[in-house]
Structures are given as structure tokens and as C-alpha cells.
Amino acid sequence: MKCLLVFYSRTGTTKKIAESISTEMNCEYEEIIDTKKRKGRFIGFVKSGFAATREKLTVIKEMQKDPKLYEAVILGTPIWNKRMTPAIRTYITENKERFKSVAFFCTMGGKGGPETFESMAKLCEKTPVSTLAITKKEIKSELHRDEIKNFSRQFISSV
Ligand SMILES: Cc1cc2nc3c(=O)[nH]c(=O)nc-3n(C[C@H](O)[C@H](O)[C@H](O)COP(=O)(O)O)c2cc1C
């Protein structure tokens, strides 16, 4: 099955998980680049969190892969203020008509997974075939490896 994984990551955690999932599922992946500056304590944390709360869109770099050419798209984002990031919100808004089937994953401190998946499903206008919320603690203790395997199994059996 041909699937595409698309993700945004500000500090690399979601990227690391995206790479593990794409290896496990043998799928292509592409990173979303937010053109807005998001580094630093004030701009990176406070302003970015505020933008997520306000459900703001941003400007993302042009993507190379067309989701329409894939049977399913896996969308990954960090959680910001219990919400999806502006970058993934923008990607979904710009591409949702091109999705056949979707799955979601997120990385987080520990709060906001269900709410975020619910709003991503609403925005995509699709129910995800599988979801995966990973905490930093789970990554540290290597628990995420089994979770990725379960997510992949559920994804493959549902698409
Ligand atoms: C602005 C901001 C808001 C955040 N809000 C939440 C939150 O509501 N719940 C949570 O569990 N983690 C929250 N986090 C933690 C991130 O989701 C977590 O560190 C994530 O793994 C970072 O992913 P990245 O390294 O791919 O950017 C927040 C982080 C930032 C920068």
C-alpha cells in the first residue's frame, strides 16, 4: 500500500517519531516547514502557543509530494496548548480535498491528544483509521516502539 507521512516538528521530537513510523511502515515522508520564526523562549513558546490557541494559519514552504497520489496520508504534529500546530493546520486546510484516507499521530508532554485528534478529524472531514499520541516520557523509556508497531498494525488492517 502506498502511503505518505507528513509532519511538522519544531524541536525534533515529532521528526524522530515520524522517521520511526516511516521505517516501520515503509512509507515515504515529507516535513512541513513553517516560514514563521518559532525559535526562542518568547517567540517559540509563548507566541507559538498563542497562535495554536487562536487556531491561526501560517505560511508553509511548498510541498514536493502530492497526497492525492497515495492511498493514505499519516499526519503528525506536536501538541501546542492542547491543539494542533498552525503548520499542520495549514497543510490540512490546503490539502484536505486530496486525502483519500487519514491517520494521525502527535508528540506531547502529556495533555491534549484526544482534543487535537478530534479537531484534526473535523478539519480533514474524515475519521482517522488509526491514531497515536506519544508522550516524551514514553519516548525516554522506549515504550513508543511498541506503540508504533500497534499503530502500524491497526493502520495496515484498516486501509
Ligand atoms: C508552544 C508549546 C505549547 C505546548 N503545549 C503542550 C500541551 O498543551 N500539552 C502537552 O502535552 N505538551 C505541550 N507542549 C510540549 C510539546 O507538545 C512536546 O514537547 C512535543 O514533543 C514537541 O515536539 P517537537 O520537538 O517535534 O517540536 C507544548 C510545546 C510548545 C512549544
Side-chain angles (χ1 to χ4, degrees):
M1 190 235 315
K2 206 179 168 207
C3 74
L4 173 67
L5 187 157
V6 177
F7 69 96
Y8 169 74
S9 181
R10 189 179 77 100
T11 51
T13 310
T14 313
K15 184 171 187 159
K16 181 181 158 176
I17 298 302
E19 287 169 350
S20 299
I21 295 173
S22 76
T23 303
E24 177 72 32
M25 296 177 60
N26 193 24
C27 67
E28 294 173 42
Y29 73 94
E30 186 169 19
E31 182 169 2
I32 301 167
I33 306 295
D34 190 341
T35 61
K36 278 229 166 98
K37 210 176 149 201
R38 305 248 180 228
K39 300 257 184 258
R41 189 147 176 86
F42 178 72
I43 295 173
F45 207 92
V46 182
K47 248 183 136 180
S48 296
F50 191 61
T53 303
R54 301 274 309 273
E55 302 188 351
K56 290 272 188 202
L57 295 177
T58 184
V59 178
I60 59 172
K61 279 202 182 156
E62 193 183 340
M63 305 293 287
Q64 303 302 310
K65 297 183 191 293
D66 180 358
K68 203 171 184 175
L69 304 177
Y70 298 82
E71 282 166 63
V73 181
I74 303 166
L75 301 163
T77 180
I79 303 280
W80 285 359
N81 291 8
K82 296 191 187 167
R83 288 168 180 84
M84 72 183 96
T85 50
I88 201 83
R89 184 181 292 284
T90 303
Y91 179 79
I92 294 172
T93 303
E94 291 177 358
N95 291 280
K96 62 182 172 186
E97 280 82 20
R98 310 180 78 76
F99 300 159
K100 290 182 184 137
S101 184
V102 293
F104 306 144
F105 74 96
C106 68
T107 70
M108 58 183 183
K111 284 187 184 142
E115 299 94 315
T116 300
F117 291 152
E118 202 179 310
S119 52
M120 286 170 78
K122 213 168 169 184
L123 188 58
C124 288
E125 297 172 35
K126 282 189 172 51
T127 304
V129 295
S130 56
T131 60
L132 172 64
I134 298 185
T135 63
K136 288 210 154 187
K137 212 171 157 188
E138 287 165 334
I139 297 172
K140 220 171 167 186
S141 60
E142 297 284 320
L143 272 173
H144 68 290
R145 299 199 183 280
D146 283 342
E147 293 186 32
I148 288 173
K149 282 198 167 62
N150 291 339
F151 172 75
S152 306
R153 243 179 258 130
Q154 196 186 345
F155 177 85
I156 288 160
S157 67
S158 316
V159 175

